[in-house]
Amino acid sequence: KGQVDEAIDCLQKALQIKPDNAWAYYNLGTSLLRRGSVDEAINHFQRAIQFQPDIVEAHINLGNLLFLTGRGDEAVAHYQKALEIRPDHAEAHNNLGHVLQRMGQVNEAIIHYQRASEIRPDYAEARNNLAWLLATSPEASVRSGDQALALAQQANQLSGGNHPVMLKALAA
């Protein structure tokens, strides 16, 4: 067996002993995700939150998986819950911005990308996401070429200057 499978076995045994252990559910969800078992991971992150609603990481991971499985509204709710618990969580702001952007809520997405960049000035992904949005938005009132270029240059520099995703935004 591999390390992930061994971890899964240990966590399942731990849950047999203490079936209300939120962190065991969280870690089991993380391990199942590494194995590629998305639906099982979703179930275990939900169980973790059921027993301990303030696990920010469980809300974020659950939000990520729900979004990937086409459940955007549910993903938004979990990112928002994560931000209620930790308003300064840059990744939660960035991920929420991404989902909102995909759902067509562009102005709300901008707010979250900006907040993520304020919290973590070295967060290249948040700057890149905002640059892409400002460069490519179908809404003319949102587009800002100068601001998009400046953000894309910052993101590119923060990522070392040769990251393909950052270069794509810079090109846009």
Side-chain angles (χ1 to χ4, degrees), residues 30 68 94 123 149 155 164:
T30 302
L68 288 174
N94 182 62
Y123 197 179
L149 179 60

Side-chain angles (χ1 to χ4, degrees), residues 32-110:
L32 288 164
L33 183 56
R34 286 189 184 133
R35 190 171 75 182
S37 302
V38 173
D39 290 334
E40 285 183 84
I42 288 172
N43 290 335
H44 285 86
F45 289 135
Q46 288 171 329
R47 295 281 289 171
I49 291 166
Q50 177 185 349
F51 288 108
Q52 191 172 336
D54 65 345
I55 301 177
V56 172
E57 297 82 0
H59 285 286
I60 292 171
N61 287 342
L62 187 53
N64 294 343
L65 294 177
L66 291 169
F67 177 66
L68 288 174
T69 58
R71 296 157 65 183
D73 289 335
E74 291 177 72
V76 166
H78 283 284
Y79 293 135
Q80 289 172 333
K81 183 63 179 174
L83 290 169
E84 283 176 28
I85 300 164
R86 270 200 45 210
D88 65 340
H89 201 290
E91 183 182 355
H93 278 288
N94 182 62
N95 293 1
L96 179 54
H98 183 72
V99 173
L100 291 169
Q101 179 181 348
R102 293 291 178 112
M103 295 172 71
Q105 298 177 33
V106 177
N107 292 322
E108 292 85 357
I110 289 170

Side-chain angles (χ1 to χ4, degrees), residues 110 129-137 142-145 147-148 151:
I110 289 170
N129 289 340
L130 181 55
W132 181 262
L133 176 60
L134 295 175
T136 65
S137 177
V142 172
R143 284 194 306 273
S144 173
Q147 189 179 6
L151 288 163

